[in-house]
Amino acid sequence: MTEAKSSSNPPAEDILAGMECVVLPPRPGAIVSDRPPVEIFLGTEPAQYRANRVFAYSIEQARDPGREVRIHVMSELSGFDRRAWTTGFTNYRFAIPALCGNRGRAIYNDEDQIYLTDPGVLFDHALGDAAHLSISDTESSVMLIDCEKMAPVWTLEESQNGWKRSLLKKASKATGLRGDLAPGWNARDEEFVPGQSHLLHYTTLHTQPWRPFPERFVYQRGSYTQIWHDLERKAIAEGFEFFTQDAPSLGFQRRLETLRNLPISEMGSGIGVSESVADAVDTLTRRTKSRTLVELAPDVRGDDEQRPGRFGLDSERRVGLLEWLGKLSAGESSGSDSDEFFDAVLCVDGLEDLPTWDIPWIVESLFARARKFVAVAVRCPESTPRRRFLLPPQGTVHTPDWWRSHFEAAALRHPDVSWELVTTRGRSFDSERMLARQGGPRPDPTPPRVWTLSDGAPGNDRQVTALANELGWPSETIRPPLGALAALPFLSRGAHLRTLQKGTRAMETLRAPWPDLLIVAGRATAPVARWIREQARGRTQVVALGSKTATPASEVDLAVTARSATLFPHPNRVEVDRPLVPANPEAGASAGRWHSRLAKIKGPRIALLLGSGTQRLGLDGAAAESLGRLVADSAEGLGGAVIVSASRHTNRAVFEGCLRGVGRAAFVYHETADQRAEERAWPAVLEAADVFVMAGLGETTLAEICMTGRPVFLSPHLRVIPSLAERVRDGLMEAIVARAEARPENDRGTTRPQEGLELICARLIAQGWVRPRKDAEALRGRLVRAGHARLLRAPIRAGDLEGFAGPLESEIKRVADAIRSKLGMPVSKESRDDETHDL
């Protein structure tokens, strides 16, 4: 809470007594050091829990195992006027001398840092004549402080009410008080040198890997973020938490003491807050065949048992949550008594009122006592917090994603426990406000219910079908007809059915029961998928294929986009190098009239493929005619025949030019927009061709032909002079992207927080109003460099058909395993080993 200057502000002793302190004692078996404990004061706030855990874990990994480290948590301290602070902890650092009793030394750290060297080395660093060390007069995020020397300079009163700039100026190098700290002890973003820097500081707010302020920034790629993610993954796997059941926060201890003074009372069930919550618990209980359940109620004392229980249970028990956790913390439970473990652990209504710092270990405790599933229902704020006038930004806590991150972390340590988290906005558990999230193993062996949804474009149809086939679960194709409004570019925004024809029989399929999984591709069908996701209240996992379908990434569960789309990173995003096609794309090709016709053509059969994007490659009628002659000469030299296959998007002039150049073709096929999938000749062409020549930028087609392992040749990219309109459009797009990715510096020499025009441009891209120009040549170039394809510059001869790199590897298995993991189904060992868990 913000407090203005007051003569009644608490003294330093009281502030210190109210601060949390995380102690890392000497490890068991280590030789105990005779050096004093390393005192670290950490500037932070509750929204930064993930950063705090990784900060402390990095110290645990790097420290002298025999020396104690104390991390004093400087968060939401009383008596400080926080108006106009940049962060919620800006001036706390200047109170450290007073908090230390004006003696000894201390290290100050911001929460956005990790240690790679023992902080004891910094703590023992010689100060010389200086009173404190830092890397510059304006950079105080890492400091070694002589508290006795700095006591008269940085007083408690000034830290509570003064300005950061003036306090730093009072202790600048010019005053003789500041000494230089080696840059390696505060290596900021790109300054970090692997193997040399002692501390990595993720100072750029909108590239921080734990994404603490999603309501404020559009997060972009940062430097060395994988180091942070690797540390978090290891910390979660080892069960390392900032606070634990054995060492809870002071707030939890005070809450528990208050509770112990309350009388034991009869407990009612919290399930009645919502019929939907009760139905979810009933469904989970029956699907997991649970026989025993414990319902934990916060802020209540008591222990009631009912035999038999509801939902077909053998027994149902209701216990006060804090009372139960307090007994576990005090060691009053044996930890092995079967009465302390239950098939199902349930907590409805009230968990959100417990101390924020303790939520991670409390959630962990629920999982630790469950054999089959954990179900929790919590209330979230009505809206995400916004920065208040002259006050530091408020961290994002108690949102659905914040809660989910803690459940996902606990689930990694308890892979055999299923879980369901139900959140609601505001105080009411109305179905309209509720959102459900699930995780862990699928509660029963039945396969998920799958729908596929596409706009009918062949490339989109092939991708959703290929992914559904790879998953191997029964699926239902949903194809409601698109209406006239579907062509409007910005009608793909939001969640609605306005792109569909109304009153059609196909519309009747869009109703409950909703699927467990919805695979969607196509800009016009994207709002329909989001509408289904909303109707299902989060119980349908939406997998969106392609950048137009999957933007914004926050509105789907898995956004599968191409790297060439150059979109911003997001926890829901999976980037692929090429479209999703099966490992054996010609398998299951049509055995109808196209197959029999092509089989009669004597080989080798050279397939000239014409698709979209030919104009961007510089192909006009004359250039296409030259390409056709080149293919015809190749067929003549090889003693083969030419097959011409054109997509519905092929430019008419290019198609006719190619035919003129080829002259006599053994087979000519031009797909039309109204052609049904079973009438398309492409599967048969893909199976019959011995050599492929592709003119176009269709990435799905390019991936399919390269995965056959047969020779692939690409038409060269000719020089194109764009029109004035194209130059204006491309220039505007490039300017928006450049501004969104700009990194203007502040007076500390670091990137300032994303704001103003940079933030506006970044939001335009993240929300899909502006799309960066796709690097259409990127995939072609990678395939040529890797030897899967070659550029066609002269007639093909027999020797030119040798030396290709072989079949291109499909990425569909990796995406399918990501989906299986989301739905609690088994994945391959390779996928488990490759997971990075960006929670």
Side-chain angles (χ1 to χ4, degrees):
M1 179 180 295
T2 300
E3 294 187 20
K5 183 176 179 179
S6 171
S7 59
S8 61
N9 281 349
E13 295 80 5
D14 290 350
I15 296 175
L16 184 64
M19 285 172 51
E20 305 286 354
C21 182
V22 176
V23 179
L24 304 178
R27 293 180 197 155
I31 300 174
V32 178
S33 172
D34 58 357
R35 292 181 176 272
V38 178
E39 306 285 353
I40 296 177
F41 285 77
L42 177 65
T44 187
E45 50 200 334
Q48 300 284 4
Y49 183 86
R50 290 177 65 192
N52 296 336
R53 174 172 54 198
V54 173
F55 172 82
Y57 183 73
S58 72
I59 293 174
E60 179 62 31
Q61 296 295 293
R63 72 183 176 113
D64 175 354
R67 189 176 186 182
E68 182 177 295
V69 177
R70 300 174 183 169
I71 304 173
H72 303 273
V73 183
M74 309 182 79
S75 173
E76 299 185 310
L77 305 183
S78 60
F80 287 79
D81 183 359
R82 294 194 290 154
R83 289 174 294 184
W85 285 15
T86 304
T87 69
F89 49 87
T90 297
N91 272 23
Y92 291 157
R93 68 199 75 191
F94 305 117
I96 292 175
L99 295 174
C100 288
N102 300 327
R103 60 181 181 273
R105 54 172 57 194
I107 296 173
Y108 172 78
N109 288 110
D110 281 353
E111 35 67 34
D112 52 359
Q113 302 166 0
I114 55 175
Y115 275 95
L116 301 165
T117 298
D118 179 11
V121 176
L122 175 58
F123 189 76
D124 298 335
H125 198 290
L127 280 155
D129 295 331
H132 75 100
L133 303 180
S134 65
I135 63 170
S136 73
D137 282 343
T138 57
E139 182 58 88
S140 59
S141 55
V142 179
M143 293 189 292
L144 176 61
I145 303 171
D146 184 320
C147 296
E148 184 176 356
K149 291 183 179 179
M150 289 304 300
V153 184
W154 289 342
T155 66
L156 178 60
E157 183 178 357
E158 284 188 289
S159 68
Q160 290 173 325
N161 302 288
W163 290 85
K164 179 182 177 182
R165 289 177 182 271
S166 62
L167 288 166
L168 287 175
K169 188 174 182 180
K170 287 178 61 177
S172 66
K173 191 171 184 179
T175 65
L177 292 172
R178 189 187 72 81
D180 286 327
L181 184 64
W185 284 108
N186 191 355
R188 302 164 299 184
D189 297 314
E190 292 85 0
E191 298 171 349
F192 178 73
V193 180
Q196 297 182 30
S197 298
H198 306 294
L199 179 145
L200 174 52
H201 185 182
Y202 295 100
T203 186
T204 304
L205 295 182
H206 54 281
T207 63
Q208 290 175 335
W210 59 98
R211 304 167 62 89
F213 300 103
E215 80 289 344
R216 184 183 177 198
F217 300 122
V218 175
Y219 284 92
Q220 301 177 12
R221 287 177 174 81
S223 302
Y224 301 104
T225 56
Q226 193 57 48
I227 298 176
W228 192 94
H229 285 303
D230 288 343
L231 280 171
E232 183 184 45
R233 186 172 66 252
K234 292 176 182 176
I236 290 172
E238 294 178 15
F240 183 92
E241 296 290 358
F242 210 52
F243 295 95
T244 65
Q245 177 179 285
D246 297 327
S249 74
L250 292 175
F252 179 84
Q253 296 176 53
R254 296 188 191 105
R255 191 71 168 269
L256 185 60
E257 188 62 33
T258 301
L259 180 70
R260 284 172 176 157
N261 295 325
L262 296 177
I264 295 176
S265 59
E266 183 177 341
M267 296 176 55
S269 173
I271 298 177
V273 298
S274 167
E275 183 179 343
S276 298
V277 173
D279 289 343
V281 174
D282 185 20
T283 300
L284 275 171
T285 301
R286 299 184 188 282
R287 289 179 65 186
T288 58
K289 296 183 170 64
S290 295
R291 308 309 307 167
T292 60
L293 177 147
V294 62
E295 181 178 355
L296 303 169
D299 281 347
V300 177
R301 290 191 67 196
D303 189 343
D304 301 328
E305 187 171 14
Q306 178 181 342
R307 291 178 181 269
R310 294 167 294 178
F311 317 126
L313 293 163
D314 290 342
S315 66
E316 178 184 356
R317 186 174 169 187
R318 296 175 195 155
V319 183
L321 173 62
L322 267 69
E323 185 177 20
W324 189 50
L325 293 174
K327 289 180 180 179
L328 297 179
S329 299
E332 297 176 19
S333 169
S334 65
S336 60
D337 188 344
S338 61
D339 288 342
E340 298 296 338
F341 295 87
F342 304 86
D343 290 341
V345 175
L346 174 67
C347 185
V348 176
D349 190 19
L351 192 60
E352 64 276 5
D353 295 326
L354 299 183
T356 304
W357 293 115
D358 297 276
I359 293 299
W361 73 260
I362 291 174
V363 171
E364 162 68 21
S365 297
L366 304 184
F367 275 80
R369 297 291 158 172
R371 297 190 187 98
K372 293 187 176 181
F373 79 83
V374 171
V376 170
V378 294
R379 293 181 173 89
C380 299
E382 288 276 4
S383 59
T384 55
R386 299 290 179 183
R387 180 165 185 168
R388 295 169 292 169
F389 181 66
L390 290 179
L391 290 180
Q394 301 300 296
T396 306
V397 296
H398 293 122
T399 64
D401 287 339
W402 181 86
W403 282 105
R404 184 177 64 175
S405 70
H406 297 312
F407 276 75
E408 289 175 340
L412 291 175
R413 296 190 285 259
H414 302 277
D416 297 329
V417 178
S418 303
W419 58 270
E420 176 152 330
L421 169 67
V422 177
T423 58
T424 185
R425 293 286 187 181
R427 303 306 298 174
S428 174
F429 277 93
D430 297 330
S431 60
E432 293 295 319
R433 292 168 168 260
M434 287 173 53
L435 180 66
R437 286 288 182 264
Q438 306 87 21
R442 188 165 172 78
D444 59 35
T446 60
R449 188 163 183 250
V450 182
W451 286 2
T452 62
L453 178 64
S454 169
D455 61 359
N460 291 334
D461 280 348
R462 296 205 293 272
Q463 288 195 75
V464 296
T465 301
L467 185 53
N469 291 340
E470 177 68 24
L471 290 168
W473 303 322
S475 62
E476 180 181 354
T477 300
I478 305 298
R479 184 64 60 76
L482 298 175
L485 296 178
L488 298 178
F490 291 115
L491 206 64
S492 61
R493 307 285 305 161
H496 55 79
L497 302 180
R498 291 193 294 273
T499 57
L500 304 182
Q501 290 182 19
K502 301 299 185 291
T504 60
R505 177 173 295 181
M507 288 285 290
E508 298 178 3
T509 61
L510 299 179
R511 62 184 180 185
W514 304 111
D516 300 300
L517 173 67
L518 173 63
I519 305 172
V520 58
R523 176 186 59 78
T525 53
V528 180
R530 292 192 286 265
W531 180 84
I532 293 173
R533 185 173 184 253
E534 284 189 0
Q535 300 305 304
R537 305 302 167 203
R539 290 191 169 91
T540 292
Q541 299 283 301
V542 173
V543 175
L545 309 182
S547 59
K548 294 180 180 179
T549 315
T551 303
S554 59
E555 295 182 7
V556 298
D557 299 285
L558 193 67
V560 183
T561 57
R563 292 187 182 90
S564 57
T566 62
L567 297 172
F568 297 138
H570 193 279
N572 294 352
R573 191 184 308 286
V574 170
E575 289 190 327
V576 293
D577 189 60
R578 49 198 172 272
L580 301 181
V581 294
N584 185 15
E586 67 268 30
S590 170
R593 58 192 177 102
W594 303 121
H595 180 87
S596 57
R597 282 184 59 182
L598 290 168
K600 296 175 182 178
I601 300 173
K602 294 183 179 181
R605 294 178 281 263
I606 302 179
L608 174 56
L609 310 177
L610 307 176
S612 60
T614 51
Q615 289 178 306
R616 293 181 64 179
L617 290 174
L619 279 178
D620 54 14
E625 186 173 346
S626 297
L627 176 64
R629 285 197 296 269
L630 196 59
V631 173
D633 292 345
S634 300
E636 183 178 354
L638 295 172
V642 178
I643 299 170
V644 179
S645 177
S647 80
R648 65 177 71 182
H649 301 294
T650 302
N651 180 276
R652 187 70 188 178
V654 170
F655 177 64
E656 293 173 350
C658 282
L659 292 183
R660 288 195 302 271
V662 169
R664 183 179 178 183
F667 178 83
V668 177
Y669 172 78
H670 193 177
E671 184 180 287
T672 59
D674 58 352
Q675 204 159 27
R676 293 182 300 178
E678 58 270 20
E679 296 175 344
R680 298 176 61 244
W682 169 245
V685 172
L686 182 66
E687 183 182 35
D690 299 297
V691 180
F692 297 97
V693 175
M694 181 172 174
L697 297 174
E699 293 187 344
T700 303
T701 301
L702 184 56
E704 286 180 320
I705 62 179
C706 286
M707 290 180 66
T708 64
R710 298 174 219 147
V712 174
F713 295 86
L714 307 178
S715 64
H717 190 164
L718 306 177
R719 184 170 181 268
V720 180
I721 301 177
S723 67
L724 176 61
E726 290 173 330
R727 291 199 300 272
V728 171
R729 180 198 63 195
D730 292 347
L732 178 60
M733 294 296 180
E734 290 173 4
I736 292 174
V737 172
R739 192 67 181 184
E741 296 177 346
R743 302 286 176 86
E745 293 185 351
N746 56 27
D747 58 357
R748 296 186 301 158
T750 60
T751 302
R752 66 169 170 78
Q754 188 183 60
E755 59 185 21
L757 197 53
E758 292 90 19
L759 179 58
I760 292 173
C761 292
R763 289 200 188 284
L764 288 173
I765 295 171
Q767 294 298 314
W769 294 106
V770 172
R771 292 190 177 92
R773 186 172 178 81
K774 189 174 183 179
D775 187 353
E777 278 287 273
L779 179 58
R780 283 167 43 102
R782 286 194 295 271
L783 293 174
V784 169
R785 290 191 294 273
H788 295 289
R790 295 173 186 167
L791 294 178
L792 181 65
R793 300 187 184 279
I796 303 169
R797 299 296 178 244
D800 298 328
L801 303 179
E802 304 296 330
F804 281 82
L808 183 67
E809 184 179 353
S810 174
E811 291 193 280
I812 197 168
K813 181 177 178 57
R814 179 167 67 92
V815 175
D817 275 348
I819 296 171
R820 291 189 184 101
S821 179
K822 276 187 169 294
L823 295 180
M825 305 295 282
V827 300
S828 65
K829 182 180 184 300
E830 294 79 8
S831 293
R832 290 196 302 269
D833 293 341
D834 291 342
E835 282 184 326
T836 56
H837 296 301
D838 181 10
L839 300 178

